[in-house]
Amino acid sequence: MRKGILTLLVGLLVVSSGCVGLITGETVEFDSAPASVSDSALEETGYEQSMADEQTIERTVTVAGQERTIRVTNHIRQYERGIDLGPVGDVNAGRFIVFSTPSASVAGQTLNPAASWSNERLVEEVASRNDQINDVQFERNRSVDALGESREVAVFSGTTTIEGQEVDVLLHLTSFEHEGDVVVAVAVYPERIDDREGPRVDTLLGGLSHSGN
């Protein structure tokens, strides 16, 4: 699950033809600020951080006949919680991933398409690039307070395989701009525990912290 989302998100930065002439230096750097979940929210929900990573991606583009390098630094945090799945025992089937990527604007021109993608578009890309998530269907939209504002969260259903067992899952996804970055948060857990895990996701979203550049 994490690998599929990461593959999608780290490749979001592109340079459009509308930016020709805006980039004048040899290398343009964009650095996001990490987004994470507060210790109090983790303690309340039982989630633990399992991964923290910083990735720098470079892409060479041709601008006005000359090559230019775009360098982007993204941050990703993953949190997990053990869930009892009966015959297969207790496994880390609850996952919460938060990703920050620069809005990447030059002279008012946004270079990062993630800034304008809808939640539905993002999850379609996640599902198409991750063969571990199947039969993804949109279920509903809802609102959750995160980083000082009400955020739209899209909920999807799907199936995945955990320890050889096919499991129906729910996927919650939200994406929004905050202090110069695009923040994307994704939660996945077995659908049969939605009544208990859904409120935990709300707590994790409410416990997000992020200080932009």
Side-chain angles (χ1 to χ4, degrees):
M1 174 64 187
R2 179 185 67 83
K3 182 178 180 181
I5 295 174
L6 186 60
T7 300
L8 160 68
L9 295 178
V10 298
L12 288 178
L13 183 77
V14 297
V15 177
S16 68
S17 59
C19 299
V20 174
L22 295 178
I23 301 174
T24 58
E26 190 66 28
T27 299
V28 179
E29 298 189 15
F30 300 99
D31 189 359
S32 66
S36 60
V37 179
S38 67
D39 290 341
S40 60
L42 294 177
E43 182 177 357
E44 181 177 346
T45 59
Y47 275 75
E48 296 181 353
Q49 182 172 293
S50 59
M51 187 271 294
D53 196 15
E54 175 184 304
Q55 295 195 342
T56 299
I57 299 158
E58 291 189 358
R59 176 168 299 180
T60 301
V61 298
T62 300
V63 179
Q66 298 184 10
E67 288 190 344
R68 294 289 184 267
T69 299
I70 305 298
R71 182 178 297 129
V72 178
T73 300
N74 303 312
H75 294 87
I76 186 168
R77 301 285 187 271
Q78 177 173 282
Y79 305 88
E80 297 180 343
R81 190 179 82 83
I83 295 173
D84 185 2
L85 293 183
V88 299
D90 193 79
V91 297
N92 287 330
R95 293 187 178 178
F96 185 84
I97 300 165
V98 58
F99 182 90
S100 58
T101 183
S103 293
S105 295
V106 176
Q109 175 69 49
T110 299
L111 308 183
N112 193 336
S116 60
W117 278 10
S118 68
N119 292 337
E120 288 78 5
R121 172 69 184 279
L122 277 170
V123 83
E124 285 174 2
E125 292 291 331
V126 169
S128 67
R129 302 187 188 203
N130 189 340
D131 57 11
Q132 295 180 9
I133 307 175
N134 302 304
D135 303 321
V136 176
Q137 300 290 330
F138 173 77
E139 296 293 333
R140 64 188 184 277
N141 284 320
R142 61 194 191 89
S143 296
V144 177
D145 289 336
L147 290 172
E149 293 186 26
S150 178
R151 311 293 182 180
E152 182 178 272
V153 178
V155 182
F156 302 83
S157 61
T159 61
T160 190
T161 300
I162 301 175
E163 300 293 330
Q165 180 180 8
E166 185 174 278
V167 178
D168 293 330
V169 296
L170 289 180
L171 187 152
H172 297 239
L173 184 146
T174 185
S175 173
F176 53 87
E177 290 193 65
H178 183 260
E179 296 191 7
D181 292 340
V182 177
V183 177
V184 181
V186 182
V188 182
Y189 56 83
E191 184 174 10
R192 65 179 177 84
I193 60 169
D194 182 40
D195 59 335
R196 302 189 303 276
E197 209 63 22
R200 287 189 174 95
V201 171
D202 290 353
T203 299
L204 294 171
L205 290 170
L208 285 177
S209 64
H210 169 260
S211 180
N213 299 297

